[in-house]
Amino acid sequence: MQKPYVIIHTLTSLDGRIHSIELPQFDSAALLYEQLALHTDQQVFNIQGYLNGRVTTDDNNTFYRKPDVNESADPVPEGDFVADAHAPMYYVSIDPTGRLGWQENFVDYGTRRAHVVSVLTERASNAYKDLLRRLNISYVIAGQDRLDNALVLHKLATLFGMQRVMIGGGGVLNWSYLQDDLVDELSLLIAPVTDASPDAPGLFTAKEPYTQVQPRSFSLIEAKPMNDSTVWLRYKVNKEQSA
Ligand SMILES: NC(=O)c1ccc[n+]([C@@H]2O[C@H](COP(=O)([O-])OP(=O)(O)OC[C@H]3O[C@@H](n4cnc5c(N)ncnc54)[C@H](OP(=O)(O)O)[C@@H]3O)[C@@H](O)[C@H]2O)c1
């Protein structure tokens, strides 16, 4: 199977939380987060696509809208749907059952417009796939009941030519790819903030049945102080070790 180079890139508080915190130091780090990944002039990752979990997309793009499906749509052709094989940037939406209420086929973030690729399992309905086709949103099917993360990456490489991708989060998606040993690099921007929220999502979150709690370790590549007391840490992910 083919696989792009995979970088998890996340902005965290000092206590490893990934929610927004209303402080100027957080905003400054958030701008840096965007610049490193998705600004035409300042980016350093050279990615062709970025992956986000269903909750992250609902929070930032689709706002928990119900998808506008036609339950009596004609059956769509079997398999994947490639609406644009040559986009300069892709937004890869991990949405196993087809819940996101898309209204357009692009996402604007940083200074880049990205074509949406929806990643589904066979559990997504015909009506949902019909909606994506009407919106000219690409989709790939990777798994029967559960997502096959390696197959997702293979399809991104072979159908869309992606050689380097970023996993933008959240914590459930981050841990899912990490636990499957599919991540080459972890890029962490740590902002000098916290609000001590006990319930905010964390950098890595195990979620049954996708993933389990498991100890993992990392090796430092580089540590760099940035503006406004933010620190940028880059790690290699160590392979799973037995005790
Ligand atoms: N600070 C940052 O850099 C950063 C970056 C991104 C997001 N965030 C924040 O993180 C929060 C969301 O994080 P989160 O961890 O709660 O959710 P998430 O990772 O965005 O999404 C989790 C959902 O994605 C789907 N999913 C992910 N991995 C899957 C897998 N392997 N197999 C099947 N489905 C999978 C499932 O959708 P279903 O529930 O539909 O099954 C799962 O519930 C948001 O508040 C967002 O703003 C912060």
Side-chain angles (χ1 to χ4, degrees), residues 9-13 17-20 26 30 33 51-60 64 93-100 109 119 121 123 145-149 166-177 180 187-189 200-205 207 209-211:
H9 180 52
T10 307
L11 168 61
T12 77
S13 60
R17 307 290 188 167
I18 60 174
H19 63 310
S20 296
F26 181 88
Y33 175 87
L51 285 64
N52 278 332
R54 198 268 309 158
V55 176
T56 297
T57 301
D58 255 340
D59 279 357
N60 298 304
Y64 298 88
S93 161
I94 306 296
D95 183 18
T97 54
R99 292 170 64 176
L100 293 168
Y109 182 59
V119 173
T121 62
R123 290 169 66 200
D145 295 322
R146 290 209 204 161
L147 276 180
D148 178 338
N149 292 326
M166 167 181 122
I167 297 182
V172 170
L173 186 66
N174 289 346
W175 188 242
S176 174
Y177 277 75
D180 280 355
S187 161
L188 273 192
L189 276 177
L203 167 61
F204 294 119
T205 309
K207 182 172 178 178
Y210 314 134
T211 54

Side-chain angles (χ1 to χ4, degrees), residues 1 54 61 80 92 136 151 189-191 225 234:
M1 291 235 264
R54 198 268 309 158
N61 305 97
D80 305 323
V92 182
N136 224 26
L151 182 59
L189 276 177
I190 304 184
R234 291 175 50 228

Side-chain angles (χ1 to χ4, degrees), residues 178-191:
L178 195 128
Q179 190 151 65
D180 280 355
D181 274 329
L182 294 167
V183 178
D184 298 286
E185 190 176 325
L186 171 64
S187 161
L188 273 192
L189 276 177
I190 304 184

Side-chain angles (χ1 to χ4, degrees), residues 1-61:
M1 291 235 264
Q2 290 189 36
K3 183 182 104 50
Y5 188 86
V6 176
I7 305 163
I8 291 179
H9 180 52
T10 307
L11 168 61
T12 77
S13 60
L14 283 181
D15 47 346
R17 307 290 188 167
I18 60 174
H19 63 310
S20 296
I21 295 178
E22 288 185 16
L23 286 171
Q25 293 91 336
F26 181 88
D27 295 341
S28 165
L31 179 61
L32 203 52
Y33 175 87
E34 267 182 50
Q35 286 169 337
L36 289 172
L38 284 153
H39 272 227
T40 318
D41 302 330
Q42 291 142 305
Q43 66 79 28
V44 293
F45 293 150
N46 295 318
I47 54 169
Q48 294 85 41
Y50 58 108
L51 285 64
N52 278 332
R54 198 268 309 158
V55 176
T56 297
T57 301
D58 255 340
D59 279 357
N60 298 304
N61 305 97

